[in-house]
Amino acid sequence: MRERREVMIVGAGLSGLVAAIHCARAGHRVRVLEQYQEIGGIPYIHPSVDATPIEPDKLSDFLEIPLGPPQIAPYQAFNVYFYGKLFPFDAARFYLHGVERGSRDTSLDTYLYRIAKEEGVEFDFGWKLRSQEDAARLPPGTIFATGLSVEVFEALNLPYQQIWGYVGHGELQGPPQVAVWFDTYTSYYNYLASINGVVFALFFDKVPVRKEHLERWKSQMKQDTGINITQWREHHGVVATKSISNPRLFHGERILAGTLAGMQDPLFLFGVHSSLVSGKIAGIAVDDKARAYELFKKMISTYKLFWVQKRSLDSQPHWFKKLAFRTASKPLLAKPELFQGLVNFGLTTVPGFRRV
């Protein structure tokens, strides 16, 4: 008979909530420690929308948690603005869905929080991990699922990549929308996404973003989509792609989950799907470390390949990226079978997407 124990989880984001649900269903007493006064992560970012590849039915089967509307909804059109030129795509080819994040009733975080409460999970809000000493006081086997919190990366001495940028919020009724911009003002990409009446925009880069670059994108966004977002806030954060060895399930006697575990797409930085998957794996690790580790290795099997590709891509000048994309896009768009094959290959960048 499985021993019933108290499981501590630091972080009430996607991976922490899934881990809590799994551990509670396994018969453990579960306590979640969250630094903010509400679920969903950094409050000023939310309500937000993640546009990400997901197959809700298959992911539901893996997590044993039903997923779908209104928290997750499919996109129909996917407009990519590549150095000023529009490339319209069918979003279904990329399995693109909008995911509402934050503490609203229609968010995925709130949905998982309700399930966790129904399973008997207890929550302590306002608890903040500030140092290695705070981490050391937690019992062995504690699950750390703190997302983009730089303080925890530093407290656990884990590598991270600093990012800078701006987040924009607004209201937008109608069907879910998504658009992405690649241009000279960022080495990453900017995106706009909406769901459930919320529209969210993110401008981010690995160097501080200049205000004139933000204004240029805002003008371009309004011209391309007709959407004018007026509420903006400066954003500093981290991503877990600093090192080729970032992914790790265990850190000493601790269990890591989500972004902290390096379960993030190293090429496009998609994190929702892999955070959900990682939460389940972290929950398994409480009772069966060997099984969890084998599953974790399978889910991140392509990480190093795409990490190297991302570093190679980042080293190329904008003129080369522009030429390469436009040259390759013509034959690919003319032959749907080749294009879909490339998309399917690209989706293996998302940890666990094909495995699930």
Side-chain angles (χ1 to χ4, degrees):
M1 184 176 179
R2 179 179 295 166
E3 177 188 0
R4 189 171 187 263
R5 52 178 290 196
E6 183 176 44
V7 177
M8 305 290 285
I9 299 174
V10 183
L14 297 184
S15 58
L17 290 169
V18 171
I21 292 168
H22 179 86
C23 290
R25 288 176 175 175
H28 299 301
R29 301 184 305 275
V30 183
R31 184 179 169 204
V32 177
L33 308 175
E34 169 56 44
Q35 68 169 321
Y36 299 110
Q37 296 299 328
E38 58 187 22
I39 48 102
I42 304 173
Y44 74 77
I45 293 181
H46 303 306
S48 64
V49 182
D50 277 303
T52 187
I54 279 184
E55 291 186 88
D57 292 342
K58 293 180 180 179
L59 188 56
S60 297
D61 291 341
F62 176 80
L63 299 176
E64 300 176 276
I65 300 171
L67 300 175
Q71 297 83 22
I72 302 175
Y75 289 118
Q76 301 302 318
F78 176 36
N79 288 334
V80 177
Y81 297 91
F82 201 84
Y83 295 97
K85 182 176 175 61
L86 169 63
F87 292 85
F89 295 107
D90 178 0
R93 288 182 177 271
F94 296 84
Y95 306 93
L96 274 182
H97 289 70
V99 180
E100 183 181 338
R101 301 294 315 281
S103 59
R104 295 200 329 160
D105 287 345
T106 48
S107 76
L108 181 57
D109 304 78
T110 298
Y111 172 69
L112 294 174
Y113 173 68
R114 288 171 179 162
I115 295 175
K117 292 286 286 184
E118 291 170 0
E119 296 291 347
V121 176
E122 297 179 358
F123 289 82
D124 287 352
F125 293 99
W127 187 96
K128 188 169 183 178
L129 190 151
R130 297 178 175 84
S131 65
Q132 293 183 5
E133 289 72 23
D134 289 342
R137 281 193 285 269
L138 294 169
T142 294
I143 297 173
F144 287 79
T146 49
L148 307 178
S149 173
V150 64
E151 294 86 359
V152 182
F153 275 91
E154 292 180 344
L156 299 182
N157 196 28
L158 296 172
Y160 63 87
Q161 172 69 55
Q162 182 79 49
I163 61 168
W164 290 264
Y166 291 86
V167 292
H169 299 90
E171 297 180 1
L172 184 67
Q173 300 304 319
Q177 296 185 41
V178 60
V180 173
W181 288 261
F182 294 86
D183 218 307
T184 55
Y185 41 66
T186 179
S187 57
Y188 288 154
Y189 62 89
N190 299 344
Y191 82 90
L192 170 80
S194 70
I195 185 177
N196 299 329
V198 172
V199 63
F200 176 77
L202 175 65
F203 187 141
F204 68 121
D205 205 343
K206 60 184 178 181
V207 296
V209 173
R210 291 159 56 181
K211 192 66 177 290
E212 58 263 35
H213 287 170
L214 172 65
E215 294 301 322
R216 179 182 160 195
W217 179 48
K218 286 166 60 177
S219 175
Q220 188 176 356
M221 183 197 311
K222 185 177 181 180
Q223 178 181 335
D224 292 339
T225 68
I227 299 172
N228 182 29
I229 295 180
T230 58
Q231 299 177 40
W232 291 90
R233 176 158 180 168
E234 196 170 357
H235 171 57
H236 301 133
V238 299
V239 291
T241 57
K242 176 70 173 180
S243 167
I244 197 170
S245 59
N246 252 108
R248 63 195 74 190
L249 177 59
F250 301 108
H251 188 58
E253 295 183 318
R254 307 173 183 98
I255 300 169
L256 305 183
T259 305
L260 198 65
M263 285 285 280
Q264 187 169 30
D265 162 26
L267 194 57
F268 296 109
L269 302 176
F270 293 122
V272 171
H273 184 284
S274 48
S275 288
L276 295 168
V277 168
S278 178
K280 173 70 176 288
I281 295 173
I284 293 172
V286 169
D287 295 309
D288 192 339
K289 291 184 177 180
R291 178 186 166 215
Y293 184 62
E294 286 303 311
L295 189 56
F296 183 79
K297 287 197 300 182
K298 289 181 180 179
M299 296 299 181
I300 63 165
S301 60
T302 63
Y303 179 88
K304 291 184 178 180
L305 169 64
F306 288 108
W307 187 91
V308 171
Q309 288 194 4
K310 173 62 174 173
R311 289 303 179 275
S312 175
L313 183 64
D314 284 349
S315 68
Q316 305 303 321
H318 283 289
W319 68 263
F320 179 83
K321 295 177 186 178
K322 180 178 179 181
L323 177 63
F325 182 86
R326 291 192 174 179
T327 300
S329 64
K330 293 179 181 178
L332 287 172
L333 292 176
K335 296 185 177 181
E337 67 280 4
L338 291 178
F339 174 72
Q340 193 60 51
L342 180 63
V343 168
N344 291 339
F345 174 72
L347 287 172
T348 62
T349 65
V350 182
F353 185 86
R354 286 303 175 199
R355 297 292 183 177
V356 168

